[in-house]
């Protein structure tokens, strides 16, 4: 079921990460997630949407969201952080990054049901649409491509060393 979509997207990411580059995958991933969630929001504004559309469109959108997450935002952040950190800092910084990721997942898990209950579908998904739209621009204009770059090139780009 759902796990097979995650495995499929991770396999795709594994093949594309060195071909397309980290930046391209992150931009495509966040754009795809943004559009997937936006479709769910927009469907709420269609008066008396046909039952098939109201049932299958959100399901398809969520599967697309998982696929887009699996090709970029899921795996790339772990590869990217190991590439940009100097070796001496990895042992200290990677556990901090992991803790931040876990706390972010907990925050989403704790706040989403409250947002859905109090604000409805658009109010619950809207912030995540905006977050992904912001991430598209942050990745497109603020992310340094590390594909094929040496440690020295990466260090100069980040730290001016």
């Amino acid at each position: 079921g759902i796990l097979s979509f995650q495995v499929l997207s991770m396999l795709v990411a594994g093949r594309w990460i060195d071909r397309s580059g980290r930046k391209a995958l992150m931009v495509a991933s966040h754009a795809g997630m943004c559009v997937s969630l936006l479709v769910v929001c927009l469907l709420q504004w269609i008066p008396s949407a046909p039952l098939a559309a109201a049932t299958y469109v959100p399901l398809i959108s969520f599967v697309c969201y998982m696929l887009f997450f699996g090709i970029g935002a899921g795996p790339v952040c772990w590869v990217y952080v190991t590439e940009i950190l100097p070796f001496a800092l990895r042992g200290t910084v990677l556990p901090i990054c992991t803790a931040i990721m876990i706390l972010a997942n907990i925050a989403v898990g704790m706040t989403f049901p409250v947002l859905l209950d109090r604000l409805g579908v658009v109010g619950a998904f809207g912030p995540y649409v905006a977050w992904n739209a912001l991430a598209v621009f942050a990745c497109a204009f603020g992310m340094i491509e590390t594909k094929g770059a040496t440690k020295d090139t990466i260090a100069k780009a980040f730290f001016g060393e």
Side-chain angles (χ1 to χ4, degrees):
I2 291 175
L3 183 59
S4 60
F5 289 110
Q6 285 294 82
V7 170
L8 174 66
S9 62
M10 293 293 180
L11 292 172
V12 169
R15 293 191 50 86
W16 286 357
I17 198 163
D18 285 326
R19 291 181 184 172
S20 302
R22 289 89 171 116
K23 186 175 183 174
L25 282 179
M26 289 295 280
V27 169
S29 175
H30 284 291
M33 291 188 303
C34 182
V35 170
S36 298
L37 295 178
L38 185 61
V39 166
V40 173
C41 289
L42 293 176
L43 185 62
Q44 299 305 305
W45 289 333
I46 297 174
S48 64
L51 181 60
T55 303
Y56 293 111
V57 170
L59 176 64
I60 293 166
S61 293
F62 292 132
V63 169
C64 289
Y65 179 92
M66 290 187 309
L67 290 171
F68 280 112
F69 177 83
I71 65 162
V76 172
C77 63
W78 299 109
V79 172
Y80 193 74
V81 75
T82 61
E83 292 176 337
I84 64 172
L85 288 173
F87 188 75
L89 296 177
R90 285 186 197 167
T92 304
V93 177
L94 280 176
I96 294 169
C97 292
T98 302
I100 291 169
M101 183 71 76
I102 290 168
L103 290 173
N105 286 328
I106 290 170
V108 169
M110 300 282 291
T111 60
F112 182 79
V114 174
L115 290 172
L116 186 60
D117 184 50
R118 294 190 181 160
L119 303 175
V121 172
V122 175
F125 286 105
Y128 302 111
V129 171
W131 181 256
N132 279 290
L134 180 65
V136 168
F137 290 101
C139 291
F141 300 110
M143 187 174 176
I144 295 167
E145 179 58 69
T146 58
K147 179 184 98 171
T150 65
K151 289 289 181 193
D152 290 337
T153 306
I154 294 168
K156 285 177 187 174
F158 273 98
F159 307 109
E161 296 177 4

